[in-house]
Amino acid sequence: MTAEHARLAAALRELRAGAGLSLAALAERTAYSKSSWERYLNGKSLPPRQAVQELCRLANEPDGRLLALWEIAESHWSGRAVASAPDPPADESPRPQPQQSPTPAGTERRRLGRGRLLLALVSAYTVIVGGAAALLFLLLPDSEAQEDGPPTASVPFSLAPECHGAACEGRDPMRLICGIGPDTLASYRTATGAHVELRHSKKCGASWARTWGTEIGDRLDVTAGGPTHSVRIGNKDDAATFIYTEMTEVRPGSTVRACFRPASADGERECFEARLGGAATTTPLPSRPVASGSRE
């Protein structure tokens, strides 16, 4: 595996972990099998371009950066990068000079010495780069088939969150590295069949809600006694993947509350909540008017 391929595989694992997508979920929501995703994520084979795009779509992440990594990895994998480079001279021996300007023997020896030195430097560079790529390959996990392990097991680097507490209020949990290895405080299934979860990051001191199995026009709100943050299902792509709210600051003992509002006019708002610091519990709440500050 080339160093470029290793970087692509690491970025794919990071994105999958941040989105909380299992191998089974990837297989269910894409045209690629669970075993295929295991090979792609571990760098055992180069994923198709479409697979990279599908993972970005499911993780709600723009695909520009990963497609750029894929292009670089694919060019080295296929040999196009090597083929496009100028061919090295087949023979390092000095070329004959025109007879009208003979070159002294000492000059020829100096040219030959420089050519051999350049060849030695190129060979040393190749060994160093190849060794680094091999070392990175050895450090990669052999398998991601253990679905019960924490998502962070698939991330080869230590990624620190970029906010904490009040600094996370109203911000994206995935972009600020709060979505890696979060706790699920509570889960709920609505009358329409949508799934809703309350998520929490201890490192970030913040919570958010996510939903899937939704319909266009559905809305999800989350609050922990402060501002209410909402997300609406805007199109069929949103309805086909995980959608999550922005974060809200949460302190030990706080109660986090999520409310799901179906798109249908006759659908009732469904709320549930969980208290931080205890066992994960779900408390369904009766439909009631929206609290002050969270009206549409």
Side-chain angles (χ1 to χ4, degrees), residues 68-181:
L69 288 176
W70 181 87
E71 291 284 353
I72 297 172
E74 194 277 335
S75 67
H76 285 78
W77 178 280
S78 63
R80 289 189 294 108
V82 176
S84 63
D87 294 330
D91 185 8
E92 290 296 328
S93 61
R95 297 182 180 180
Q97 300 296 317
Q99 293 184 359
Q100 65 270 23
S101 57
T103 303
T107 302
E108 291 293 344
R109 285 194 294 270
R110 287 194 296 271
R111 287 182 178 176
L112 180 58
R114 287 197 298 269
R116 288 174 176 170
L117 177 60
L118 178 60
L119 179 61
L121 291 174
V122 170
S123 300
Y125 175 78
T126 302
V127 171
I128 292 172
V129 172
L135 178 60
L136 181 57
F137 178 76
L138 290 174
L139 293 176
L140 295 175
D142 288 335
S143 174
E144 297 215 62
Q146 295 181 353
E147 295 296 328
D148 295 332
T152 51
S154 63
V155 183
F157 308 111
S158 177
L159 299 174
E162 299 180 9
C163 70
H164 186 272
C168 297
E169 190 73 52
R171 304 182 70 182
D172 189 316
M174 304 306 166
R175 295 188 183 277
L176 296 182
I177 323 297
C178 295
I180 296 182

Side-chain angles (χ1 to χ4, degrees), residues 74-275:
E74 194 277 335
S75 67
H76 285 78
W77 178 280
S78 63
R80 289 189 294 108
V82 176
S84 63
D87 294 330
D91 185 8
E92 290 296 328
S93 61
R95 297 182 180 180
Q97 300 296 317
Q99 293 184 359
Q100 65 270 23
S101 57
T103 303
T107 302
E108 291 293 344
R109 285 194 294 270
R110 287 194 296 271
R111 287 182 178 176
L112 180 58
R114 287 197 298 269
R116 288 174 176 170
L117 177 60
L118 178 60
L119 179 61
L121 291 174
V122 170
S123 300
Y125 175 78
T126 302
V127 171
I128 292 172
V129 172
L135 178 60
L136 181 57
F137 178 76
L138 290 174
L139 293 176
L140 295 175
D142 288 335
S143 174
E144 297 215 62
Q146 295 181 353
E147 295 296 328
D148 295 332
T152 51
S154 63
V155 183
F157 308 111
S158 177
L159 299 174
E162 299 180 9
C163 70
H164 186 272
C168 297
E169 190 73 52
R171 304 182 70 182
D172 189 316
M174 304 306 166
R175 295 188 183 277
L176 296 182
I177 323 297
C178 295
I180 296 182
D183 296 323
T184 299
L185 299 179
S187 301
Y188 185 79
R189 186 163 187 178
T190 71
T192 62
H195 296 266
V196 183
E197 288 182 342
L198 281 171
R199 309 279 273 176
H200 175 71
S201 169
K202 295 179 181 178
K203 292 183 178 180
C204 291
S207 292
W208 63 95
R210 73 171 183 175
T211 184
W212 68 97
T214 54
E215 299 178 0
I216 297 175
D218 291 347
R219 173 174 166 171
L220 179 63
D221 303 330
V222 68
T223 183
T228 296
H229 301 291
S230 305
V231 65
R232 187 185 296 274
I233 311 304
N235 52 51
K236 62 180 183 181
D237 290 336
D238 289 349
T241 187
F242 292 102
I243 295 296
Y244 52 89
T245 68
E246 295 169 333
M247 291 184 284
T248 184
E249 179 186 11
V250 175
R251 297 185 178 128
S254 298
T255 297
V256 190
R257 181 184 182 201
C259 290
F260 180 85
R261 308 175 186 214
S264 58
D266 56 348
E268 294 187 352
R269 184 173 68 110
E270 299 176 65
C271 299
F272 69 103
E273 61 185 20
R275 185 177 179 82

